[in-house]
Amino acid sequence: MAGRTADGLLGADDPAPVGLFNAAGPSPFLLIGDHAGSGVPAALGDLGLAAADRGRHIAIDIGVHGLGHALATLLDAPFLHQYYSRLVIDCNRDPEQLAAIPAVSDGSRISGNEGLDATARAARVAAIHAPYQAAITATIAARQAVGRATILLSLHSFTPVMDGVARPWEVGVLHWLGRTDFAQAMLDALRTDAALAVGDNQPYRMDATDHTVPRHAFAHDLPYAEMEVRQNLIGDAAGQHLWAQRLARAAQTAAARTGYGSNAAAGGL
């Protein structure tokens, strides 16, 4: 599907910013992937980055695209995700903040993001950030209109080492305000496997820097959890499938324990 936009940022051969897999999935889970893609609009070239940098964690949540599709299949849930790189614009940041279009990330200079004027920034918001957030809003509204429950499950991944410090967690559950009971139940469900290193608001604490979950889960009083899986564990299809199974079991257990899972798909688990 072409992604042409009136502002000209996305050309006829650029993909649309939003991907939606298994749109009709009947389960209460709605999966989202803010950083699942690494695409760059043709008009922006390579953002001044080498290919190696464009494949690093600074550009994409490694493994989330495959993990999201595998998990959506197991849960029979929709997976709505972003196609373009977080370095073009970070859809999990307030677009008014400078951090939404970083000029430096984990020591790498992004020269294509330097010195952008208001018009250039607004073009990225209009072409990518706004349609992605609007798609989430519309999907939640459509589910509410037919009386379908929604548990928002946001999928992210994290690098094993940051600033020279190793991160021991294999998976983290992030939460902040609103209906945190589902996230707490996810923590409990994952921790039944004593072999897993499960972080509570690790390796990041959800706070006001996050944009997507606060914007949609808090505003609509939805149960939610933001999941962080260590990238070296989901870098290939085998790891993605294994972690999809783990997350599906935990999510269904958490939904049942919190009373949100009455129409959860069995998923064969």
Side-chain angles (χ1 to χ4, degrees):
M1 178 179 177
R4 181 183 291 279
T5 54
D7 54 43
L9 178 61
L10 299 186
D13 294 328
D14 284 318
V18 183
L20 180 58
F21 171 73
N22 196 29
S27 90
F29 300 101
L30 172 59
L31 313 182
I32 58 173
D34 298 334
H35 305 144
S38 61
V40 178
L44 300 181
D46 59 11
L47 291 176
L49 284 170
D53 271 335
R54 295 197 303 275
R56 292 178 61 211
H57 73 96
I58 63 173
I60 182 174
D61 274 0
I62 295 166
V64 163
H65 185 269
L67 173 67
H69 282 79
L71 183 57
T73 299
L74 289 173
L75 293 175
D76 200 3
F79 175 42
L80 194 156
H81 58 88
Q82 176 54 247
Y83 174 83
Y84 289 98
S85 171
R86 65 195 301 174
L87 296 181
V88 177
I89 187 164
D90 190 332
C91 286
N92 194 32
R93 295 292 180 266
D94 183 332
E96 298 299 318
Q97 301 299 314
L98 289 177
I101 306 178
V104 178
S105 184
D106 193 22
S108 292
R109 175 188 174 194
I110 304 109
S111 61
N113 289 350
E114 294 176 346
L116 298 182
D117 61 20
T119 299
R121 293 181 67 89
R124 298 193 194 187
V125 174
I128 297 171
H129 193 290
Y132 175 68
Q133 297 295 339
I136 298 173
T137 296
T139 300
I140 292 171
R143 294 168 68 90
Q144 291 179 327
V146 297
R148 180 175 296 171
T150 297
I151 303 170
L152 192 64
L153 202 56
S154 181
L155 304 178
H156 292 259
S157 66
F158 65 97
T159 183
V161 179
M162 188 71 175
D163 296 328
V165 178
R167 291 153 147 185
W169 310 281
E170 293 165 286
V171 61
V173 182
L174 278 55
H175 53 90
W176 183 25
L177 304 175
R179 294 170 73 173
T180 61
D181 55 339
F182 176 77
Q184 294 291 342
M186 278 289 289
L187 274 168
D188 292 342
L190 287 165
R191 284 174 170 169
T192 60
D193 184 344
L196 289 182
V198 182
D200 182 355
N201 269 329
Q202 297 287 357
Y204 308 105
R205 177 171 293 279
M206 183 183 287
D207 58 24
T209 64
D210 288 272
H211 183 71
T212 304
V213 166
R215 176 171 177 166
H216 298 285
F218 300 176
H220 294 97
D221 195 31
L222 301 179
Y224 70 91
E226 185 165 314
M227 306 305 304
E228 290 273 1
V229 183
R230 206 170 66 209
Q231 290 169 354
N232 63 315
L233 303 176
I234 54 172
D236 58 24
Q240 292 157 15
H241 186 65
L242 172 63
W243 276 91
Q245 291 178 312
R246 285 174 171 161
L247 294 182
R249 285 193 293 267
Q252 291 180 322
T253 297
R257 288 179 180 172
T258 53
Y260 302 131
S262 59
N263 63 334
L269 299 178

